[in-house]
Amino acid sequence: MASEDVKRSESAVSTIVNLAEEAKIASEGVKAPSHALLSICKSLVAGGVAGGVSRSAVAPLERLKILLQVQNPHSIKYNGTIQGLKYIWRTEGFRGMFKGNGTNCARIIPNSAVKFFSYEEASKGILYLYRQQSGNEDAQLTPLLRLGAGACAGIIAMSATYPMDMVRGRLTVQTEKSPRQYRGIFHALSTVLREEGPRALYKGWLPSVIGVVSKTLMALKPAFFTVPYVGLNFAVYESLKDWLIKRKPIGLVEDSELGVTTRLACGAAAGTIGQTVAYPLDVIRRRMQMVGWKDAASVVTGDGKNKAPIEYNGMVDTFRKTVRYEGFGALYKGLVPNSVKVVPSIAIAFVTYELVKDVLGVELRISD
């Protein structure tokens, strides 16, 4: 009897242990997707906050840049950064300085969220394939591979939110004197869709894609307008971070981590290089977005005797006519306010993204 009791006890203990192990395995199986979802949400939130904060900080310069890009060359109203900002303040007041910023934030938050998240996922996928191909499990992403990851992120984010960017451009240039007013982003989207068709929502999409994906083409046949500013931003930023961490120059790195000021400088350098080299594509894109706009803003059509319709037929035609009628320098209209804004904008975006990720990461660890 005693031996039978012992056997029953051993059997019971064995059953309990097996059930405990099964429960542990089941809980771990559930826990992994949960953590993956939290990681995704963390990246999305951090990217969205970074985009919204950075663009809001430089909204007046962003609006002036677009006005300079698309204004009628025969009816100049905005002539330089200082004069342009003063003119906006005098004619439209404080609200005029931030016109289109609400729409820009509505666009840039999902854009930045998708961009940063896509970059991290693309980096993981490319790194996995690179390690498999090289056979080195400790291999890290090269600048070229980072460039590819940045290009993938830029294409996905830009394509997903391009219609919002298109109508944002139109909302930004309209003034109180415009013949017809878009009342907001949804009214603008519905009006363009009804009057110009669905393809109109993607006017200027091609130069945007070229600006993101054509680094490979540039390596074969260099051209100033074929640099992917999104991919270049990420590549320069990440490469600068790695170089600083490895070399640790003049005490900029402490405990293998970069300080906020150093991150700010890396983001500023990345943004300045990427945006400046690819700037002509942005001018072409904005001008294409204005084509077909019925009762367009006066800044686009011109005033009085100087009023002239915009007649561009595709990216190449826009580029050719811009250079022919306004000179090569027209491809860089608005570059000064863009350069002034891009340093704080991109730098704030990168730093905010990493800071928000750190905050969310702490909260996630505490909750575990």
Side-chain angles (χ1 to χ4, degrees):
M1 291 292 294
S3 62
E4 290 180 0
D5 290 339
V6 171
K7 289 181 180 179
R8 288 197 193 98
S9 298
E10 291 177 349
S11 177
V13 170
S14 177
T15 301
I16 293 172
V17 170
N18 290 335
L19 288 173
E21 289 179 351
E22 290 177 3
K24 182 180 179 182
I25 294 172
S27 65
E28 289 176 349
V30 173
K31 190 175 182 180
S34 176
H35 277 279
L37 181 60
L38 288 174
S39 178
I40 291 172
C41 291
K42 183 174 71 171
S43 295
L44 290 174
V45 171
V49 172
V53 170
S54 63
R55 290 308 178 98
S56 295
V58 296
L61 290 169
E62 173 68 13
R63 187 184 181 218
L64 177 61
K65 180 201 75 171
I66 296 176
L67 289 168
L68 289 168
Q69 287 177 333
V70 304
Q71 73 173 339
N72 192 297
H74 304 294
S75 182
I76 301 296
K77 296 180 180 180
Y78 308 93
N79 188 18
T81 305
I82 303 300
Q83 182 275 337
L85 291 173
K86 287 182 177 179
Y87 184 82
I88 294 173
W89 181 269
R90 186 175 66 253
T91 58
E92 301 181 65
F94 179 80
R95 292 183 62 185
M97 302 292 284
F98 289 87
K99 182 169 288 186
N101 183 54
T103 306
N104 191 26
C105 287
R107 177 194 69 86
I108 203 63
I109 288 177
N111 179 279
S112 294
V114 174
K115 184 195 305 179
F116 279 106
F117 170 68
S118 300
Y119 176 71
E120 290 201 346
E121 294 304 308
S123 297
K124 292 176 184 177
I126 292 173
L127 180 59
Y128 173 79
L129 294 175
Y130 180 56
R131 287 176 173 175
Q132 291 293 316
Q133 184 178 11
S134 64
N136 182 7
E137 292 299 323
D138 297 324
Q140 298 298 321
L141 288 176
T142 64
L144 184 60
L145 293 177
R146 287 190 180 124
L147 192 70
C152 292
I155 296 169
I156 294 170
M158 181 271 298
S159 299
T161 60
Y162 192 82
M164 298 176 71
D165 179 69
M166 188 271 182
V167 299
R168 196 266 299 198
R170 293 191 178 186
L171 285 165
T172 299
V173 303
Q174 72 177 9
T175 65
E176 299 299 328
K177 297 181 180 179
S178 298
R180 184 176 180 181
Q181 296 287 323
Y182 291 127
R183 295 192 296 270
I185 185 170
F186 294 110
H187 178 253
L189 283 169
S190 61
T191 301
V192 172
L193 189 62
R194 183 177 66 253
E195 296 184 352
E196 303 176 47
R199 291 183 61 184
L201 294 174
Y202 281 88
K203 286 179 178 178
W205 179 80
L206 182 57
S208 298
V209 172
I210 293 175
V212 175
V213 303
S214 57
K215 178 64 176 179
T216 304
L217 296 179
M218 189 190 70
L220 299 175
K221 185 177 181 181
F224 72 92
F225 56 90
T226 59
V227 179
Y229 51 87
V230 174
L232 192 57
N233 280 347
F234 279 112
V236 173
Y237 179 72
E238 295 290 347
S239 297
L240 279 174
K241 280 178 58 180
D242 285 352
W243 183 82
L244 289 172
I245 291 173
K246 289 179 181 178
R247 299 297 180 92
K248 299 182 179 180
I250 58 175
L252 293 177
V253 182
E254 296 180 1
D255 300 327
S256 300
E257 290 292 335
L258 297 181
V260 173
T261 303
T262 308
R263 290 180 184 180
L264 197 69
C266 291
T272 301
I273 294 171
Q275 295 264 1
T276 300
V277 177
Y279 189 78
L281 276 173
D282 192 50
V283 174
I284 298 302
R285 173 173 66 109
R286 290 297 175 198
R287 295 193 170 199
M288 291 176 67
Q289 289 176 347
M290 303 298 139
V291 176
W293 184 4
K294 183 180 179 181
D295 297 324
S298 59
V299 67
V300 178
T301 62
D303 294 319
K305 297 179 181 179
N306 295 323
K307 188 171 183 178
I310 305 173
E311 295 181 357
Y312 297 131
N313 185 22
M315 183 187 70
V316 176
D317 185 60
T318 305
F319 178 84
R320 180 171 54 84
K321 287 182 177 178
T322 297
V323 174
R324 174 186 292 179
Y325 298 122
E326 301 177 53
F328 186 80
L331 295 173
Y332 287 90
K333 285 186 173 180
L335 179 61
V336 173
N338 182 73
S339 299
V340 173
K341 84 174 182 63
V342 76
V343 173
S345 177
I346 299 296
I348 290 171
F350 278 114
V351 174
T352 304
Y353 175 69
E354 294 200 359
L355 290 177
V356 173
K357 268 189 29 173
D358 290 342
V359 171
L360 293 176
V362 170
E363 291 178 354
L364 289 175
R365 286 193 293 273
I366 290 174
S367 65
D368 289 345

